[in-house]
Amino acid sequence: MPRGKKKTAVESFNEQIEKIDAMILTHQDKLNELKAQKKDLLEQKKKSEVEMLYQKIQESGKSIDEVISMFEQE
């Protein structure tokens, strides 16, 4: 039975390079997605920390200006 035309080394390399390029694009997309998720989580964490800080200030009965003044004195 005929097996078809045998690929040259260059054709084989080109196919392998194309497959690798496709894999790189796939992984790059996933990397970008993960970076966006990380950025979103960092923003949520920051908002949460600011909210906790504000609640503690409110609980202390001091004004924001008083707390800022305390930090500036240190």
Side-chain angles (χ1 to χ4, degrees):
M1 284 191 184
R3 296 185 188 174
K5 183 180 172 185
K6 185 174 182 178
K7 295 179 184 173
T8 66
V10 172
E11 289 172 332
S12 178
F13 288 132
N14 287 339
E15 284 182 8
Q16 291 178 36
I17 290 169
E18 287 176 15
K19 286 179 184 178
I20 291 171
D21 284 341
M23 291 173 63
I24 288 170
L25 287 175
T26 299
H27 291 289
Q28 188 66 44
D29 289 343
K30 183 64 176 175
L31 181 61
N32 290 339
E33 179 184 324
L34 290 171
K35 285 181 179 181
Q37 288 177 6
K38 180 182 177 182
K39 182 180 176 183
D40 184 49
L41 285 172
L42 288 171
E43 289 174 8
Q44 289 178 28
K45 179 184 174 191
K46 182 179 178 180
K47 287 178 183 179
S48 176
E49 290 172 340
V50 169
E51 180 62 32
M52 286 175 22
L53 181 60
Y54 182 74
Q55 287 177 359
K56 290 294 182 184
I57 292 171
Q58 293 296 318
E59 290 171 8
S60 74
K62 297 183 181 188
S63 71
I64 298 289
D65 291 333
E66 288 173 316
V67 174
I68 291 172
S69 169
M70 288 171 41
F71 284 120
E72 289 175 346
Q73 290 174 358
E74 291 182 1

